[in-house]
């Protein structure tokens, strides 16, 4: 690679790109860890994008109509941090760059959403960023359909590496983008042919260009170090009418002794290597020092979008006050005022009618009254629409001929669906929810985990949540999956007992601003257990006394979801024998744990024997309630699953696995001795 030729051909461009490269070298040297190679290789692409195309204003990082830039190859985080510092983002100071990867710094090892302005999503797990970007692009299309081009009209740009494209989620993402002709999505592939283990062909010989073409993408191949070629490719991509992939042939760790080697992927910290690399760049400034003329040129790029933003603000001010207020409301994640009374009315109706419904059907009933009053909800299912009950008649289907549509047929893409939902939530203005079977939490989990980490309120509708789904058998019967979600920090896991608890759970999920929700829903019908109407949202307490004991309290039955009705039936059996029994419904353990100690002690007082009932494994947090607050090992038990399920009708399975009212009553009597 002739570095001197690159320098002399485009000196102004070269110096700006060299600022990214040298900040990367200095920060990683100071941290003694990081990934130098990608920022050094993609600095030219990033410089052209930010200088000539990206619509942003460093002084207003959260301007809703900005272009989004997503670094899917998140290990190259110093590329993003350098760009944010150079263009003048106030919280990306030089001190933050110097503290790269250190305690308390905004410059974490991989970009983390919420740490610093300008970081649009948390990336690092490869492939997540490109899948998030599909959600960003879909959100832009939906909101443009709702508000018009003068209010919403922007692009989503992504830098993805070989690793992102090898991950299976990338296939789900590019298939979705091509199917929906997301023309505002532009992906730069850092085609450097290097992974940690060596050259890409050690493990992959896929023709990525043909793969994208076959998925209905516009594809170009360019020299990733030629600024004129980069510029021309972006111009062409914007006109393509479909999602665009620009294959940028680059050299990892450009200009260093580690160029084009797997060593260049990681941290370049040797002083001699760094000095020689800077010499090749023609860079004579001290570490972390950006010459004033180069810094001012970058800051001018950061300020370039101020005029665009001002024009957009004027256009926003020109629409009706009602539309302006609605736009602000949805981006602030505020629920409409009509939501609470709508939920209360449905609860009252269900308490009076007392239907026997699967909670997946209960969920649909809630959505039928909620979706018409919340324009920001976007629903979908991973090819299980009729089973997940996620579609309501008012939504319209999102498609190439209906950008206002709010229902997405995701196809059999649980991982891609969940990651794209996160992208929608991160974009702003939408509240996405998507459904699949609870057993396929395994396929969606990496994105579910990142929703929790990023503190965004995506809603994962997981139906067929236990052995109660019946004949499909143990491959589809989740026994450990509720426990997996409960073990994830910052996640609400709702397992509602009936339509009333379902309505309350949805109300919490749709008003949360920093916590994702998992709705654990049944296939089988369950009776209404909340037969007395209360305006208060009892599920917001996480657990509450559904039915108290008559006479001396000797037992407390704690149950969730479909097993609450079993607990109620067991209570009847026990009370008939003079054993005073309280039933506690526990729709959300996380919310119960958040209550004050006095409330939790009132619900679960010391003394009575305790039995937990759930058609899953005990490891789902049950020890806290069975043994906590002076609970005793010899006075507690759990009725649930110890292994996998089997293929049979649901009622047979519950009987064979001993999850019955009779079994619960016998367990209580055994504990009482």
């Amino acid at each position: 690679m002739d570095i001197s030729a690159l320098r002399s051909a485009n000196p102004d461009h070269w110096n700006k790109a060299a600022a990214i490269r040298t900040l990367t070298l200095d920060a990683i040297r100071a941290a003694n860890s990081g990934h130098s190679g990608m920022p050094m290789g993609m600095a030219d692409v990033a410089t052209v994008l930010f200088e000539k195309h990206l619509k942003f204003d460093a002084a207003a990082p959260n301007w809703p109509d900005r272009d989004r830039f997503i670094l899917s190859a998140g290990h190259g985080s110093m590329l993003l941090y350098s760009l944010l510092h150079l263009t003048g983002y106030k919280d990306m100071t030089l001190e933050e760059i110097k503290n790269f990867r250190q305690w308390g710094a905004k410059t974490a090892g991989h970009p983390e959403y919420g740490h610093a302005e300008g970081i649009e999503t948390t990336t690092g797990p490869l492939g997540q960023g490109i899948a998030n970007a599909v959600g960003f692009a879909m959100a832009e299309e939906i909101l443009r359909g709702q508000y018009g081009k003068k209010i919403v009209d922007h692009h989503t740009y992504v830098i993805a590496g070989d690793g992102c494209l090898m991950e299976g989620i990338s296939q789900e993402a590019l298939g979705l983008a091509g199917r929906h002709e997301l023309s505002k999505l532009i992906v730069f592939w850092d085609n450097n042919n290097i992974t940690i283990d060596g050259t890409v062909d050690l493990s992959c010989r896929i023709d990525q260009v043909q793969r994208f073409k076959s998925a209905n993408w516009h594809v170009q191949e360019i020299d990733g170090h030629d600024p004129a070629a980069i510029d021309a490719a972006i111009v062409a991509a914007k006109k393509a009418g479909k999602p665009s992939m620009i294959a940028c042939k680059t050299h990892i760790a450009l200009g260093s002794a580690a160029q084009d080697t797997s060593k260049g992927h990681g941290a370049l910290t040797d002083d001699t290597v760094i000095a020689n690399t800077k010499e090749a760049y023609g860079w004579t400034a001290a570490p972390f020092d950006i010459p004033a003329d180069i810094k001012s040129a970058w800051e001018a790029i950061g300020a370039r979008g101020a005029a665009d933003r001002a024009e957009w603000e004027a256009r926003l001010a020109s629409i009706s006050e009602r539309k302006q207020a609605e736009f602000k409301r949805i981006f602030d994640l505020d629920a409409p005022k009509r939501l609470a009374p709508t939920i209360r009315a449905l609860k009252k109706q269900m308490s009076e009618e007392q239907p026997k419904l699967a909670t997946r059907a209960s969920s649909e009933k809630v959505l039928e009254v909620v979706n018409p009053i919340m324009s920001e909800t976007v629903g979908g299912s991973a090819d299980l629409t009729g089973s997940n009950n996620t579609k309501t008649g008012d939504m319209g289907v999102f498609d190439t001929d209906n950008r206002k549509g709010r229902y997405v047929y995701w196809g059999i893409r649980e991982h891609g669906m969940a990651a794209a939902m996160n992208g929608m939530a991160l974009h702003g203005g939408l509240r996405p929810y998507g459904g699949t079977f609870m057993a396929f939490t395994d396929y969606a989990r990496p994105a579910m985990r990142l929703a929790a980490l990023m503190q965004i309120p995506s809603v994962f509708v997981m139906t067929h949540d236990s052995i109660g789904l019946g004949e499909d058998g143990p491959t589809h019967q989740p026994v450990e999956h509720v426990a997996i979600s409960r073990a994830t920090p910052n996640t609400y896991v709702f397992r509602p007992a009936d339509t009333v608890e379902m309505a309350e759970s949805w109300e919490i999920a749709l008003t949360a601003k920093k916590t994702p929700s998992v709705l654990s829903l049944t296939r089988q019908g369950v009776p209404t257990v909340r037969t007395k109407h209360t305006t208060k949202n009892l599920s917001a307490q996480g657990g509450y006394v559904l039915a108290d004991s008559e006479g001396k309290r000797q037992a407390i039955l704690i149950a969730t979801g479909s097993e609450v009705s079993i607990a109620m039936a067991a209570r009847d059996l026990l009370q008939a024998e003079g054993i005073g029994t309280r039933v506690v419904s526990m729709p959300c353990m996380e919310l119960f744990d958040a209550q004050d100690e006095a409330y939790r002690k009132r619900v679960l007082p010391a003394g009575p024997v305790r039995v937990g009932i759930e058609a899953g494994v005990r490891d789902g947090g049950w020890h806290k309630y069975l043994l906590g607050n002076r609970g005793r090992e010899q006075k507690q038990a759990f009725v649930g699953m110890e292994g996998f399920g089997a293929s049979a009708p649901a009622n047979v399975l519950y009987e064979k696995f001993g999850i019955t009212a009779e079994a619960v009553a016998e367990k209580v009597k055994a504990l009482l001795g």
Side-chain angles (χ1 to χ4, degrees):
M1 191 70 193
D2 190 345
I3 298 293
S4 61
L6 290 176
R7 287 171 51 192
S8 60
N10 301 282
D12 290 339
H13 163 87
W14 175 264
N15 286 334
K16 285 193 283 284
I20 296 172
R21 293 177 170 122
T22 56
L23 277 178
T24 294
L25 288 167
D26 293 339
I28 290 171
R29 173 66 186 87
N32 200 34
S33 73
H35 298 81
S36 310
M38 194 283 279
M40 295 165 71
M42 285 298 281
D44 294 304
V45 171
T47 299
V48 173
L49 173 64
F50 272 66
E51 181 175 14
K52 297 183 179 296
H53 296 278
L54 195 72
K55 182 173 68 171
F56 76 108
D57 181 0
N62 298 314
W63 164 33
D65 199 38
R66 69 192 181 279
D67 287 343
R68 271 63 168 182
F69 172 65
I70 295 169
L71 186 67
S72 188
H75 56 275
S77 56
M78 270 310 304
L79 176 74
L80 178 55
Y81 300 151
S82 297
L83 288 163
L84 297 179
H85 170 66
L86 291 167
T87 54
Y89 282 76
K90 288 182 180 178
D91 61 353
M92 192 53 68
T93 62
L94 190 60
E95 197 63 24
E96 293 290 350
I97 300 291
K98 290 179 177 179
N99 286 322
F100 178 57
R101 288 185 163 223
Q102 303 308 301
W103 176 264
K106 299 177 187 296
T107 46
H110 295 83
E112 293 193 37
Y113 173 74
H115 279 213
E117 303 284 9
I119 300 174
E120 301 285 3
T121 181
T122 295
T123 56
L126 293 176
Q128 288 292 326
I130 191 172
N132 290 161
V134 172
F136 275 88
M138 293 175 83
E140 194 272 347
E141 294 279 4
I142 292 168
L143 291 168
R144 181 153 38 89
Q146 291 180 349
Y147 288 91
K149 193 173 181 179
K150 71 178 185 178
I151 303 301
V152 181
D153 185 19
H154 54 264
H155 287 81
T156 300
Y157 295 96
V158 186
I159 287 180
D162 292 303
C164 291
L165 300 192
M166 272 194 248
E167 291 285 359
I169 192 173
S170 72
Q171 181 63 26
E172 298 184 21
L174 69 93
L176 280 164
R179 164 61 184 84
H180 288 292
E181 298 178 11
L182 302 179
S183 60
K184 299 281 189 162
L185 174 61
I186 298 174
V187 173
F188 302 96
W189 170 31
D190 179 17
N191 180 18
N192 60 38
N193 194 42
I194 295 294
T195 65
I196 292 174
D197 281 349
T199 57
V200 168
D201 61 8
L202 281 173
S203 56
C204 184
R205 290 183 177 173
I206 292 172
D207 185 331
Q208 298 291 358
V209 167
Q210 290 302 319
R211 182 163 79 112
F212 276 81
K213 284 182 178 178
S214 71
N216 194 36
W217 283 60
H218 173 258
V219 181
Q220 303 170 80
E221 297 181 75
I222 64 167
D223 177 352
H225 301 296
D226 180 347
I230 298 165
D231 182 31
I234 298 172
V235 171
K238 288 179 177 179
K239 298 176 181 177
K242 58 174 68 174
S244 185
M245 189 271 269
I246 303 172
C248 305
K249 190 60 184 172
T250 60
H251 295 272
I252 198 168
L254 180 75
S256 76
Q259 179 181 307
D260 301 327
T261 70
S262 56
K263 184 178 179 180
H265 171 87
L268 300 182
T269 58
D270 181 84
D271 289 337
T272 301
V273 170
I274 292 172
N276 291 342
T277 304
K278 289 185 176 182
E279 183 179 356
Y281 292 167
W283 194 266
T284 58
F288 294 108
D289 181 29
I290 306 298
D293 59 331
I294 298 174
K295 184 66 166 75
S296 63
W298 268 114
E299 288 175 350
I301 293 169
R304 173 175 48 79
D308 285 334
R309 177 174 60 86
E311 291 172 7
W312 176 83
E313 288 172 344
R315 292 195 300 273
L316 181 66
S318 71
I319 65 176
S320 71
E321 289 186 4
R322 182 188 65 81
K323 272 282 191 182
Q324 288 182 58
E326 180 77 354
F327 191 81
K328 183 180 187 301
R329 179 187 71 76
I330 62 175
F331 272 86
D332 287 345
L333 285 175
D334 292 333
K337 293 179 180 178
R338 293 170 60 193
L339 178 63
T342 298
I343 293 293
R344 287 197 297 270
L346 179 64
K347 285 170 53 179
K348 187 173 188 296
Q349 179 188 350
M350 293 298 101
S351 292
E352 292 170 353
E353 296 179 1
Q354 299 180 21
K356 181 177 182 179
L357 288 173
T359 52
R360 60 173 177 152
S362 299
S363 175
E364 183 177 21
K365 277 192 173 294
V366 180
L367 292 172
E368 283 172 346
V369 298
V370 165
N371 282 333
I373 65 171
M374 293 189 74
S375 64
E376 64 268 38
T377 57
V378 174
S381 170
D383 199 53
L384 291 166
T385 295
S387 295
N388 298 149
N389 299 78
T390 43
K391 185 176 184 292
T392 59
D394 63 294
M395 302 184 86
V397 175
F398 175 77
D399 210 333
T400 54
D401 61 352
N402 184 23
R403 293 314 202 189
K404 292 182 182 180
R406 293 159 50 209
Y407 191 81
V408 181
Y409 288 113
W410 293 104
I412 305 92
R413 300 183 179 100
E414 295 87 359
H415 197 178
M417 172 183 74
M421 285 166 52
N422 288 347
M424 289 180 175
L426 289 160
H427 177 280
L430 298 179
R431 280 189 176 269
Y433 67 86
T436 187
F437 287 171
M438 173 66 78
F440 303 145
T441 299
D442 293 329
Y443 290 164
R445 174 157 166 72
M448 295 170 70
R449 177 178 184 268
L450 284 171
L453 180 63
M454 292 188 283
Q455 300 183 8
I456 55 174
S458 302
V459 180
F460 305 101
V461 182
M462 301 305 202
T463 70
H464 297 60
D465 73 343
S466 70
I467 60 170
L469 70 87
E471 294 86 345
D472 273 348
T475 60
H476 285 53
Q477 290 168 8
V479 294
E480 76 275 32
H481 298 77
V482 172
I484 289 169
S485 290
R486 286 183 183 144
T488 306
N490 188 44
T491 301
Y492 293 147
V493 181
F494 294 100
R495 196 157 187 262
D498 63 7
T499 311
V500 177
E501 284 193 357
M502 185 75 260
E504 292 178 338
S505 299
W506 265 115
E507 182 177 26
I508 298 163
L510 292 173
T511 53
K513 293 190 177 185
K514 292 188 174 183
T515 304
S517 297
V518 177
L519 302 181
S520 174
L521 310 181
T522 70
R523 175 185 185 246
Q524 74 274 28
V526 293
T528 299
V529 295
R530 285 275 293 280
T531 55
K532 182 180 179 181
H533 175 62
T534 59
T535 58
K536 184 177 181 179
N537 187 324
L538 298 182
S539 297
Q541 297 169 300
Y544 61 93
V545 177
L546 176 63
D548 214 344
S549 59
E550 297 172 12
K552 181 183 176 182
R553 185 187 309 122
Q554 298 180 66
I556 300 176
L557 307 180
I558 314 164
T560 74
S562 46
E563 286 68 70
V564 173
S565 58
I566 292 175
M568 292 292 283
R571 175 183 177 274
D572 290 342
L573 295 174
L574 291 164
Q575 287 287 169
E577 296 187 36
I579 300 171
T581 304
R582 167 180 285 188
V583 173
V584 171
S585 180
M586 188 76 74
C588 183
M589 291 182 175
E590 296 77 22
L591 288 173
F592 185 72
D593 292 346
Q595 304 305 305
D596 62 55
E597 185 180 13
Y599 174 77
R600 286 183 277 117
K601 283 184 175 180
R602 285 199 304 273
V603 174
L604 298 176
V609 301
R610 302 178 191 176
V611 177
I613 314 160
E614 185 171 69
V617 296
R618 178 174 174 153
D619 291 339
W622 282 99
H623 62 283
K624 292 180 290 186
Y625 314 118
L626 299 178
L627 293 171
N629 186 28
R630 292 183 289 163
R632 291 168 293 164
E633 180 66 41
Q634 65 272 29
K635 294 296 183 180
Q636 60 80 36
F638 179 75
V639 175
M641 298 295 292
E642 294 181 357
F644 294 109
S647 182
N651 61 325
V652 174
L653 291 170
Y654 272 80
E655 180 183 351
K656 295 295 185 183
F657 285 108
I659 308 174
T660 64
E662 291 77 12
V664 172
E666 289 303 315
K667 191 80 73 172
V668 168
K669 288 188 283 186
L671 291 172
L672 289 172

